[in-house]
Amino acid sequence: SEPGMDMAARTAEIVFSLASNIERNRAFYENVKSRMPAYGRDADDLKIMPGIVLNVGETVAEAKAKVDYLIDKMHPDVG
């Protein structure tokens, strides 16, 4: 979210990126880092780490069902 990226640029030392592909991860990285000078911070003061989410099940269908369940229960403000 925009407020989350601003908060990271203003205060964070480390954040995790959970974007679904390398292009989105790069865009997130550049977006957050580019906000930092506005808060008097150097871009090297923040580390952005790739986040990994594993969804497992006895079968692929079971794993996908777990993902669907989690997405269904996620509050829109944090999704």
Side-chain angles (χ1 to χ4, degrees), residues 4-27:
M5 287 187 280
D6 274 334
M7 182 174 70
R10 186 177 69 249
T11 65
E13 294 178 10
I14 297 174
V15 294
F16 290 92
S17 173
L18 291 176
S20 59
N21 62 48
I22 191 70
E23 291 82 17
R24 289 183 180 165
N25 273 302
R26 284 186 180 136

Side-chain angles (χ1 to χ4, degrees), residues 21-59:
N21 62 48
I22 191 70
E23 291 82 17
R24 289 183 180 165
N25 273 302
R26 284 186 180 136
F28 175 80
Y29 179 97
E30 292 170 8
N31 190 326
V32 174
K33 293 277 190 161
S34 71
R35 296 169 188 242
M36 294 179 71
Y39 298 106
R41 298 184 68 201
D42 187 279
D44 290 336
D45 293 339
L46 173 66
K47 303 300 179 211
I48 299 179
M49 308 286 292
I52 298 173
V53 177
L54 300 175
N55 299 289
V56 298
E58 293 287 329
T59 64

Side-chain angles (χ1 to χ4, degrees), residues 55-77:
N55 299 289
V56 298
E58 293 287 329
T59 64
V60 171
E62 183 180 321
K64 287 181 179 180
K66 288 179 180 181
V67 171
D68 291 342
Y69 174 81
L70 292 172
I71 290 171
D72 184 54
K73 298 299 181 193
M74 188 178 303
H75 191 280
D77 289 344

